[in-house]
Amino acid sequence: MSYQDHIRQVGALIESKAGPWSGISAEAVARMRLQNRFQTGLDIARYTAAIMRADMAAYDADPSQYTQSLGCWHGFIGQQKMISIKKHFGTTKGRYLYLSGWMIAALRSDFGPLPDQSMHEKTSVPALIEELYTFLRQADARELGMLFRDLDAARAAGDDVAAAKAQNAIDNHQTHVVPIIADIDAGFGNAEATYLLARKMIEAGACALQIENQVSDEKQCGHQDGKVTVPHEDFLAKVRACRYAFLELGVEDGIIVTRTDSLGAGLTKQIAVSNAPGDLGDQYNSFLDCEEISADQLSNGDVIINRDGKLLRPKRLPSNLFQFRAGTGEDRCVLDSITSLQNGADLLWIETEKPHVEQIAGMMDRIRAVIPDAKLVYNNSPSFNWTLNFRQQVFDAWSAEGKDVSAYDRARLMSVDYDATPLGAEADERIRTFQSDGAKRAGIFHHLITLPTYHTAALSTDNLAREYFGSQGMLGYVKAVQREEIRQGIACVKHQNMSGSDIGDDHKEYFAGEAALKAGGAHNTMNQFGEAA
């Protein structure tokens, strides 16, 4: 509905109420409605699910149409990210938000900083989703408020061309609200617990839930040791729980991302139930590290598997966990992925130990041989040493090609000494094109960085502290922060406006007319921030 259509509709409503509503401005109501386009989290979930589905179809037709996101640990961070994207690229298309369980554990738990082991409050996950969308909706309200001011100024000046331009911008305003891929960890309990949390996350606005196949009570960060997976049927019950939550709430095209940690997980907590040779439980158990024994070798408390008439004793650790055979990780990842897609998943996530396109592609080739449109969400993780990994990849490739690499020490390739070398330059180029290469070769639909804003906050704070508390004093802030904000057109340099001061002034004027006491007058110090110098 256009701006003028809103005004006409509200005007008719006000007129139908006669005198009691005569103090209500139809145009003011129309503005408030446009500034509050999404009234519930479910409105957001349905809207963004449709966006993601369209993006997935676009990627299937053209792998260059991959999508991206950054992990955001606070609503303000997510808001500033989307404002920046609109400023630099003119559109939010293909850009999402990622909600990282790691960052919630580290930064948003009432217990204080925690490791990524599902120890934080599960309610903090939907709370952050709601917070992110609150800030994105406020970004819409702020931007539209500035367009309304442009329209009012054009009208006051009698400039019909400028007024038409402003109204067109209002009618074609692109929202800052984009899909969130939200981390539900391993479900924080059994399938019922997973369903309850999934429902809360969807109600808060999540259209995409990412769930992993680790045990929920001893879940580990994907880049830590000691990961323990669960049999497929246990995991698939949680996948179905997420789907039921989507369907119950009317988000019929909600997205489920199933993550396998099998590449780095050498342990399982339980032996899968198997009813027939070759069934899913039997396939899971076939990866166990077993020794063949005879009946007279049985010991007290032994757990035994009967396969093909042979008695097999799985290797059980003192922790009561069972060990997989070494070297089976990729095979388990492939089986996990195919099984998930055949049982309700929409996208895959394979957690790897390094960013290597061909390693990822090798697994995806096998998966796509069974399910041709299989697509990945891939973690461009800060846990990888990208510089060292890619320099070593180039070193190894050059060695295989017979190139002279005697000028390089493979163990020291992180050194600044190699920054300006041909090897360093090629490695940087491979890092630059990693996302497009992975999208084309390895079926990666969505690239994300889990916790980049955790690191940027630490880095920028360290730089400011070094200068401000050192010899630069106030110049440390002015030169490195405020001057750059002004010159780069960073929206929050006008922090009063960003926090909603102008929106509040508009509302005061709607409610009280000329009697409104507004904050944005000539003496507001925010007026010192004009155009970039």
Side-chain angles (χ1 to χ4, degrees):
M1 188 183 298
S2 72
Y3 180 48
Q4 292 301 321
D5 287 340
H6 275 290
I7 293 173
R8 283 190 287 270
Q9 184 187 73
V10 177
L13 175 63
I14 292 171
E15 187 175 350
S16 73
K17 301 297 182 180
W21 284 23
S22 61
I24 303 296
S25 162
E27 186 160 22
V29 174
R31 292 181 176 188
M32 294 173 78
R33 284 186 173 182
L34 289 173
Q35 288 173 303
N36 187 29
R37 174 179 173 182
F38 302 99
Q39 297 180 357
T40 71
L42 286 176
D43 292 337
I44 293 171
R46 295 185 185 108
Y47 169 78
T48 53
I51 290 174
M52 251 187 108
R53 291 288 178 181
D55 287 346
M56 289 161 68
Y59 173 82
D60 286 340
D62 178 3
S64 70
Q65 300 302 304
Y66 61 90
T67 57
Q68 300 167 290
S69 65
L70 296 174
C72 298
W73 55 273
H74 191 280
F76 177 73
I77 300 297
Q79 177 198 64
Q80 294 305 302
K81 173 188 145 182
M82 297 317 301
I83 288 174
S84 176
I85 286 170
K86 285 193 73 175
K87 179 182 78 171
H88 290 298
F89 305 104
T91 178
T92 61
K93 180 174 173 54
R95 278 84 176 199
Y96 305 165
L97 295 182
Y98 179 66
L99 183 149
S100 163
W102 193 102
M103 286 208 286
I104 289 180
L107 299 171
R108 302 302 301 265
S109 171
D110 287 343
F111 294 116
L114 294 171
D116 182 22
Q117 296 172 353
S118 289
M119 293 190 290
H120 55 278
E121 311 85 345
K122 65 172 68 176
T123 53
S124 60
V125 185
L128 180 53
I129 297 169
E130 182 177 9
E131 177 181 293
L132 285 161
Y133 279 129
T134 296
F135 274 79
L136 294 184
R137 291 163 65 208
Q138 195 261 6
D140 281 357
R142 170 187 168 272
E143 191 169 70
L144 281 163
M146 292 189 292
L147 292 175
F148 296 147
R149 279 176 161 74
D150 292 342
L151 178 60
D152 291 342
R155 287 172 175 173
D159 189 337
D160 293 339
V161 173
K165 181 179 179 181
Q167 184 159 311
N168 182 67
I170 292 166
D171 287 337
N172 293 284
H173 176 261
Q174 185 182 45
T175 178
H176 295 81
V177 170
V178 297
I180 286 178
I181 297 176
D183 187 357
I184 197 172
D185 279 17
F188 286 85
N190 61 13
E192 175 68 6
T194 302
Y195 154 75
L196 293 171
L197 178 55
R199 194 172 65 178
K200 285 292 185 185
M201 293 169 70
I202 298 163
E203 288 173 337
C207 73
L209 304 179
Q210 168 227 322
I211 186 166
E212 60 200 66
N213 69 337
Q214 291 192 54
V215 293
S216 59
D217 56 340
E218 296 189 53
K219 183 260 182 192
Q220 295 277 25
C221 171
H223 294 281
Q224 290 180 326
D225 203 356
K227 291 184 290 184
V228 183
T229 63
V230 297
H232 296 96
E233 289 298 346
D234 294 42
F235 182 59
L236 295 177
K238 295 183 179 183
V239 174
R240 288 190 289 271
C242 292
R243 182 62 68 201
Y244 273 105
F246 274 125
L247 294 174
E248 176 186 349
L249 296 171
V251 186
E252 296 180 1
D253 52 358
I255 290 95
I256 298 174
V257 183
T258 51
R259 172 176 140 180
T260 172
D261 280 280
S262 289
L263 194 63
L267 304 169
T268 183
K269 196 163 190 177
Q270 63 199 81
I271 296 173
V273 173
S274 173
N275 296 308
D279 65 12
L280 198 53
D282 190 44
Q283 291 180 68
Y284 186 79
N285 294 339
S286 71
F287 295 113
L288 292 171
D289 189 358
C290 300
E291 61 174 332
E292 185 178 349
I293 62 170
S294 59
D296 60 353
Q297 292 177 297
L298 289 173
S299 301
N300 187 57
D302 272 352
V303 174
I304 302 298
I305 295 175
N306 178 10
R307 181 183 297 127
D308 298 328
K310 298 177 181 178
L311 295 181
L312 303 176
R313 179 164 54 197
K315 184 173 182 178
R316 184 163 60 174
L317 305 181
S319 60
N320 203 32
L321 299 173
F322 296 93
Q323 185 168 296
F324 289 114
R325 296 194 316 277
T328 63
E330 288 202 5
D331 290 338
R332 286 183 281 127
C333 281
V334 170
L335 178 61
D336 295 343
S337 299
I338 292 172
T339 301
S340 292
L341 291 174
Q342 290 174 334
N343 288 272
D346 301 291
L347 295 168
L348 302 172
W349 175 318
I350 298 175
E351 194 76 343
T352 66
E353 83 289 357
K354 60 180 179 294
H356 195 293
V357 169
E358 285 305 316
Q359 179 198 32
I360 303 162
M363 289 184 278
M364 282 301 290
D365 287 345
R366 296 171 62 188
I367 295 165
R368 285 184 149 187
V370 179
I371 302 175
D373 64 349
K375 291 179 282 295
L376 271 180
V377 171
Y378 187 72
N379 177 10
N380 292 221
S381 177
S383 293
F384 302 143
N385 185 331
W386 286 77
T387 301
L388 181 60
N389 266 291
F390 275 83
R391 287 181 181 180
Q392 288 179 340
Q393 287 180 37
V394 173
F395 181 96
D396 293 342
W398 283 7
S399 296
E401 295 167 8
K403 290 187 178 180
D404 182 8
V405 292
S406 60
Y408 304 98
D409 181 348
R410 192 179 187 280
R412 292 186 58 253
L413 289 177
M414 184 65 197
S415 171
V416 67
D417 296 342
Y418 300 122
D419 285 1
T421 64
L423 185 146
E426 180 165 334
D428 283 353
E429 179 62 12
R430 291 193 184 194
I431 293 171
R432 187 186 72 81
T433 63
F434 174 80
Q435 294 191 340
S436 59
D437 293 343
K440 182 178 180 180
R441 172 70 184 93
I444 301 176
F445 158 72
H446 185 77
H447 284 277
L448 61 88
I449 309 179
T450 43
L451 43 140
T453 52
Y454 174 92
H455 291 282
T456 54
L459 178 62
S460 61
T461 302
D462 178 86
N463 291 340
L464 175 60
R466 181 189 64 228
E467 299 299 319
Y468 176 75
F469 292 104
S471 62
Q472 295 299 298
M474 192 58 196
L475 183 60
Y477 171 77
V478 172
K479 184 177 180 180
V481 181
Q482 188 181 81
R483 192 176 295 168
E484 290 305 310
E485 283 183 304
I486 295 170
R487 290 177 174 172
Q488 294 182 37
I490 304 300
C492 71
V493 70
K494 296 184 177 182
H495 44 261
Q496 306 289 10
N497 166 269
M498 184 58 64
S499 68
S501 178
D502 288 342
I503 296 172
D505 275 358
D506 290 340
H507 291 171
K508 291 175 185 177
E509 190 169 2
Y510 299 161
F511 306 155
E514 293 182 358
L517 183 63
K518 297 193 288 185
H523 298 295
N524 188 316
T525 56
M526 189 172 66
N527 296 326
Q528 296 175 29
F529 302 107
E531 296 299 316

